[in-house]
Amino acid sequence: MSYSGALNPASEDYESRPHYYLGQHDSDRCEVLDDDQYNQVLNSGFNFVTAPITNQHFFQRVVNLHREFLKEKQEWTERLTPAQRTNPSLPVPIVPTLTDEDTSLYPSHHIGSLVTYASPWIDLCSPDPYISGISRQVLNMEVAYANFCGARTIVIPGPRQDESGPGVAQYARAIQEALLQVTRANLIIHLPMYREPLLEEKCETLSGIFDGSRMDADPKKDIDIFTAWDSWHTIRSVCEYSSRLFLALRIPRRVPEKTLQERWFSEPLHFITIGQAVFQSNRAGNPTLSRHHQDLINRYMRLKNAPWIILTDVGPNPEDLGAALAIKAIEYPSLAEASKALQERKPKSGLNEYVSYMKYLERQQPPYTAMETPGLTSFQDWLQSPLQPLADNLESATYEVFEGDPVKYDQYQAAITEAMAEWKVLKKPSALGTESEPYNPELICAVAGAGRGPLVTRVLRAAAATNTKIQLWALEKNQNAFVYLLNKNKREWNSKVTLVKTDMRGWGGPIPRNGSAPCKVDILVTELLGSFGDNELSPECLDGIQHHLFQPSGLSIPHSYTAHLSPISTPRLFADISSRESDPHAFEIPYVVRLFQLDFVAQKVPNHPRFQQAWEFVHPVSVNKADEFAEQHGFGKKFVTPGGGAMYGSNGTNEHNARQSHLTFVCPTRGVVHGLAGYFESTLYESQVEGKQGEKVEISILPDQIDQKSRDMISWFPIFFPLKKPLYFPQDAELEVSMWRQTDDTKVWYEWLVEVYAWVGPQSRIKVGASEMHSSKKVACLM
């Protein structure tokens, strides 16, 4: 099968799918390509190439240095007495500075497009202090020189083994030191997804040269697929989640289970590398990748900063690239000499077959969905502080963003339409009814917090669809938005709507046509929900207006909403928040963020789902003695909790809106949690007609429910409750999450705590870790 036809840009829009940026790496390359060779690689379809920082001359110089050192050490040891030999000590030999014979990398106009590679023969993990010391010196010299030349990307081969001991810690410390050597370049640690046997680095290390040890994985030994991630976690933790530390992930021949794929997906991927051995051959002899490999690449390429792909040892090979050198070797070649050189080493022309196949895969990717527009993609993992609509007046552009989501308003209209239709069917008592005739087909409706009026439009459409006569009020406290509503009422609504500029909690109620006294409301519509359901103070707002609802048949849309939580690993967000040194409360802000590059660390097991409900609010709040107490004592628009002992010395007028929850999440594989992802679901309307009970009009942002209940809805991103320090947990652990919604009658805030428990027996477990108690009180939502 040929893939060349897939390269025709006219066949389909390139912008409809992620773009592959392909690089070429030769693991045996010891010298930087010259301009002719570089152009030859680019002409074969690659976008960039790798370049070794030092060459074979430098390698041999270091080997000779250590060999001479060992000889001197042996001679020195032989001169010692037996007592002195118990503690022989020699300083680590100092590697002399680089010379022009040690490297072919120099500053150039295209140095920024080269991906530089540190020497793969160094062994930072060696238990031999002399080898590890020399390796550390070599690494520091190479990264410093590459940084001087203007390289912006330096790839460093990762540890060869992940066994417990000082090796990985030594490596991590060396990387931390190397970060101090470079001021602008990024360091990329090259690691495998897991230690797949027979797929290790080919280059022998200094340890292998001098003591004969090789660190190849035992093909007969059971593989723990998370050990490579353990090493990476140690490295980036020692480096304090540096914003200049990234990952190059080597794809194995056998794709691992989804849990490991998602774990690496959450990490700061800069490259994914694919070796020739990973490819298979189809019947025509062309390279192909398995369906599992294709799905893995498609998944990773959906990131906002999609990783670049490096193809390793797939050509052009050194013989092909040597054709240009053969001609250049003759200072002034004649036509005959040049022709002879080209015949002996004729370079291949056209696209590299592996590049051709990868371009084919690029065209076969699923196209971007409605949730992957450039605008939405730009919001991936971008932290935003939640809105405070009670305290702040929103701008028109903010309202416009909300109004750009037809799914939300379609669901609202469906709920209002169903409510009006069933009101007729059930002939429910209404606000304009009388004692002798409680049912009146004309309904009193109100939209509280109308903004620029999208819900007002939907109420009018629902009334027209059900042929329901209504009197409609729209309340808005934002004086700027109110001007917009006045104009819209004339232009679009034919002055059918009564507009009132007021905070909904201070509204005196609707005065019906041909009436002089306020009456009650049959259907109250609001869009006060936040990413966690209640985080924009929907309960407090509705408390102040629900006394206008006609009892007992008045409806609130939405009727109820629930908050949900799940612990997540998200190194990118942790690094982002850690960099905000000027904000002392950065880790105590619940952020609104389109979570994307994350790993859900909990798994769904019986009685412990991955997403668990924290609490629920239902409207209208049931009238009880507390409400009567409020009315008698002049509170009027609020509800109080009878008795003393209210939180934070308050009088308890909002304590009924406090909530708390304690949830248990099961984590079969070890990992790290950086915070809690928060979501909400809402029942806008639930059918009251006999035979249809349980049928609901709902919206949801839960990842496992949104496609069923409100597919492609974009109005709300999840909320993120960060942890100040990453919390590691072992295999088969349980995470206990405690969450509180607190209030002191003037503001609302959240508090959260995560604890780790490990099972040590069938009926017993021990606590192995816990986070601090976090509180957003200092950045609370003002009532």
Side-chain angles (χ1 to χ4, degrees):
M1 177 180 177
S2 173
Y3 309 109
S4 58
L7 300 176
N8 181 8
S11 61
E12 203 168 334
D13 182 11
Y14 264 99
E15 298 303 320
S16 66
R17 292 170 172 80
H19 178 61
Y20 288 3
Y21 202 64
L22 300 174
Q24 189 258 12
H25 174 65
D26 188 336
S27 57
D28 293 327
R29 183 178 296 146
C30 298
E31 299 285 350
V32 178
L33 300 181
D34 62 25
D35 288 349
D36 291 332
Q37 293 172 320
Y38 179 68
N39 289 331
Q40 190 173 337
V41 173
L42 295 187
N43 289 337
S44 65
F46 292 97
N47 302 107
F48 64 96
V49 298
T50 64
I53 300 173
T54 56
N55 57 21
Q56 194 70 18
H57 181 274
F58 180 65
F59 164 70
Q60 197 58 53
R61 191 155 67 87
V62 173
V63 169
N64 292 339
L65 174 71
H66 188 58
R67 185 172 286 122
E68 288 298 319
F69 167 78
L70 292 178
K71 182 179 178 181
E72 293 178 8
K73 180 173 179 287
Q74 179 64 29
E75 294 173 353
W76 180 75
T77 304
E78 289 174 353
R79 293 195 297 268
L80 299 177
T81 65
Q84 292 173 323
R85 291 176 188 174
T86 59
N87 187 28
S89 178
L90 278 178
V92 175
I94 302 301
V95 180
T97 186
L98 294 175
T99 70
D100 60 344
E101 295 181 327
D102 296 326
T103 181
S104 52
L105 181 71
Y106 297 100
S108 66
H109 66 277
H110 62 262
I111 185 69
S113 63
L114 292 177
V115 174
T116 54
Y117 258 72
S119 295
W121 44 264
I122 62 175
D123 187 2
L124 299 168
C125 299
S126 174
D128 185 327
Y130 303 111
I131 289 180
S132 62
I134 289 175
S135 298
R136 180 175 53 79
Q137 293 179 62
V138 169
L139 176 65
N140 287 339
M141 292 170 65
E142 290 187 338
V143 298
Y145 180 69
N147 185 71
F148 160 78
C149 289
R152 294 295 168 260
T153 305
I154 304 172
V155 178
I156 304 173
R160 297 283 185 98
Q161 282 188 328
D162 310 306
E163 302 297 333
S164 59
V168 175
Q170 279 181 193
Y171 183 97
R173 187 204 168 277
I175 299 301
Q176 181 190 47
E177 185 176 342
L179 282 167
L180 300 176
Q181 300 291 323
V182 296
T183 55
R184 291 178 291 179
N186 295 322
L187 300 188
I188 319 295
I189 309 303
H190 195 187
L191 283 168
M193 288 192 81
Y194 66 94
R195 297 295 175 181
E196 186 177 38
L198 307 178
L199 203 65
E200 294 81 12
E201 293 275 357
K202 295 188 298 183
C203 181
E204 195 169 27
T205 64
L206 291 177
S207 296
I209 294 171
F210 286 100
D211 62 20
S213 64
R214 280 190 59 86
M215 293 177 284
D216 296 343
D218 183 356
K220 297 182 180 180
K221 184 179 179 181
D222 290 339
I223 299 174
D224 181 349
I225 63 174
F226 282 89
T227 58
W229 177 85
D230 287 336
S231 295
W232 163 250
H233 178 58
T234 299
I235 296 164
R236 59 97 175 277
S237 297
V238 169
C239 297
E240 298 181 324
Y241 287 74
S242 171
S243 61
R244 292 189 292 115
L245 185 66
F246 293 88
L247 180 69
L249 191 63
R250 190 165 72 232
I251 304 301
R253 283 181 299 227
R254 184 173 181 179
V255 176
E257 59 191 55
K258 281 285 186 181
T259 52
L260 183 60
Q261 293 181 40
E262 292 302 298
R263 179 67 55 82
W264 286 119
F265 177 80
S266 69
E267 301 293 349
L269 294 173
H270 198 295
F271 299 113
I272 55 177
T273 67
I274 308 175
Q276 186 181 40
V278 177
F279 288 88
Q280 303 170 355
S281 295
N282 61 14
R283 293 179 181 178
N286 294 315
T288 62
L289 291 172
S290 72
R291 171 54 61 185
H292 296 299
H293 285 94
Q294 295 176 37
D295 292 342
L296 173 68
I297 295 172
N298 289 343
R299 168 73 169 145
Y300 286 5
M301 294 304 293
R302 247 49 189 188
L303 290 167
K304 177 171 65 175
N305 298 315
W308 295 0
I309 300 173
I310 296 179
L311 304 181
T312 304
D313 299 330
V314 299
N317 57 47
E319 290 74 20
D320 297 331
L321 296 176
L325 291 178
I327 299 175
K328 291 179 67 175
I330 308 171
E331 188 172 1
Y332 299 105
S334 65
L335 290 176
E337 290 171 328
S339 177
K340 181 180 178 182
L342 285 174
Q343 290 299 323
E344 292 175 352
R345 293 191 174 188
K346 185 176 181 180
K348 295 180 181 179
S349 60
L351 284 177
N352 177 282
E353 59 180 344
Y354 293 89
V355 172
S356 180
Y357 175 70
M358 294 305 295
K359 292 292 186 180
Y360 166 77
L361 287 189
E362 180 183 48
R363 304 300 300 166
Q364 298 305 306
Q365 295 177 98
Y368 285 127
T369 66
M371 300 294 288
E372 295 176 306
T373 63
L376 286 175
T377 300
S378 68
F379 280 102
Q380 280 185 18
D381 302 304
W382 181 45
L383 297 168
Q384 307 170 71
S385 296
L387 294 174
Q388 291 218 25
L390 283 181
D392 303 322
N393 287 329
L394 304 182
E395 297 179 354
S396 180
T398 305
Y399 287 120
E400 190 171 358
V401 171
F402 297 155
E403 295 165 14
D405 183 3
V407 177
K408 173 179 71 173
Y409 294 109
D410 287 347
Q411 290 297 94
Y412 261 95
Q413 183 174 330
I416 300 166
T417 301
E418 190 73 9
M420 290 180 175
E422 290 193 355
W423 201 296
K424 283 185 176 183
V425 172
L426 297 173
K427 295 191 180 299
K428 294 165 58 176
S430 52
L432 296 179
T434 62
E435 290 187 10
S436 59
E437 187 58 47
Y439 169 70
N440 189 316
E442 186 174 15
L443 301 180
I444 301 294
C445 301
V447 176
R452 300 200 316 176
L455 279 182
V456 176
T457 299
R458 297 299 180 132
V459 172
L460 293 172
R461 290 180 185 176
T466 57
N467 197 26
T468 301
K469 188 176 181 181
I470 63 170
Q471 295 185 33
L472 179 56
W473 273 258
L475 320 178
E476 178 52 52
K477 74 175 182 64
N478 184 341
Q479 67 271 16
N480 304 310
F482 188 74
V483 175
Y484 188 93
L485 289 174
L486 290 170
N487 182 262
K488 195 168 186 177
N489 195 24
K490 295 177 182 177
R491 289 186 298 104
E492 296 184 23
W493 301 330
N494 296 321
S495 300
K496 295 179 181 178
V497 183
T498 303
L499 303 177
V500 183
K501 183 192 170 300
T502 181
D503 186 316
M504 67 183 73
R505 296 169 294 179
W507 185 38
I511 299 177
R513 299 188 192 102
N514 303 321
S516 57
C519 68
K520 298 294 184 180
V521 175
D522 294 310
I523 299 178
L524 173 65
V525 184
T526 58
E527 53 173 333
L528 305 168
L529 299 173
S531 297
F532 204 44
D534 55 80
N535 62 294
E536 293 184 11
L537 305 190
S538 176
E540 285 71 23
C541 292
L542 290 175
D543 278 355
I545 194 174
Q546 79 157 27
H547 64 284
H548 291 301
L549 273 176
F550 182 72
Q551 298 293 339
S553 54
L555 297 175
S556 171
I557 297 177
H559 167 63
S560 65
Y561 36 93
T562 52
H564 301 256
L565 290 168
S566 186
I568 62 172
S569 176
T570 172
R572 177 174 178 174
L573 293 186
F574 178 80
D576 187 349
I577 300 173
S578 298
S579 67
R580 305 185 178 198
E581 298 176 354
S582 61
D583 185 355
H585 309 302
F587 276 102
E588 295 187 318
I589 298 174
Y591 294 95
V592 172
V593 54
R594 190 187 177 209
L595 296 171
F596 193 82
Q597 193 172 3
L598 80 162
D599 177 29
F600 292 106
V601 298
Q603 297 295 320
K604 180 181 179 181
V605 298
N607 302 318
H608 296 290
R610 171 175 278 181
F611 306 98
Q612 298 185 30
Q613 180 177 320
W615 49 66
E616 180 181 25
F617 286 90
V618 179
H619 300 287
V621 177
S622 300
V623 176
N624 53 33
K625 292 183 179 180
D627 308 332
E628 296 173 4
F629 180 88
E631 294 288 349
Q632 293 170 5
H633 291 79
F635 293 108
K637 302 180 182 66
K638 296 208 175 189
F639 301 90
V640 299
T641 303
M647 291 182 293
Y648 299 96
S650 65
N651 60 20
T653 57
N654 195 44
E655 197 159 343
H656 65 289
N657 285 325
R659 295 288 189 275
Q660 66 179 37
S661 66
H662 186 82
L663 309 172
T664 300
F665 296 89
V666 178
C667 303
T669 59
R670 61 186 178 273
V672 63
V673 59
H674 296 101
L676 305 171
Y679 306 88
F680 84 92
E681 287 192 309
S682 176
T683 298
L684 299 178
Y685 180 76
E686 183 172 359
S687 178
Q688 300 176 1
V689 174
E690 186 175 353
K692 294 177 63 178
Q693 283 92 345
E695 294 185 12
K696 303 175 182 178
V697 180
E698 299 175 278
I699 54 177
S700 174
I701 65 168
L702 270 174
D704 61 351
Q705 295 295 321
I706 186 171
D707 284 349
Q708 290 78 29
K709 298 180 178 180
S710 45
R711 185 180 182 86
D712 294 337
M713 185 175 68
I714 59 173
S715 286
W716 293 275
F717 296 152
I719 198 167
F720 177 59
F721 298 92
L723 297 183
K724 294 179 181 178
K725 295 181 179 179
L727 186 60
Y728 183 85
F729 55 87
Q731 184 173 316
D732 295 322
E734 289 186 346
L735 299 181
E736 302 277 347
V737 175
S738 300
M739 174 75 78
W740 294 265
R741 186 183 198 265
Q742 304 280 47
T743 179
D744 64 359
D745 297 344
T746 63
K747 55 185 176 292
V748 172
W749 69 94
Y750 298 95
E751 295 175 359
W752 59 98
L753 171 73
V754 181
E755 302 167 282
V756 181
Y757 289 87
W759 287 95
V760 295
Q763 301 296 326
S764 61
R765 62 179 192 165
I766 59 172
K767 185 175 179 178
V768 295
S771 72
E772 298 180 32
M773 175 69 77
H774 297 69
S775 173
S776 64
K777 186 177 182 181
K778 292 183 179 179
V779 289
C781 293
L782 302 176
M783 294 169 55

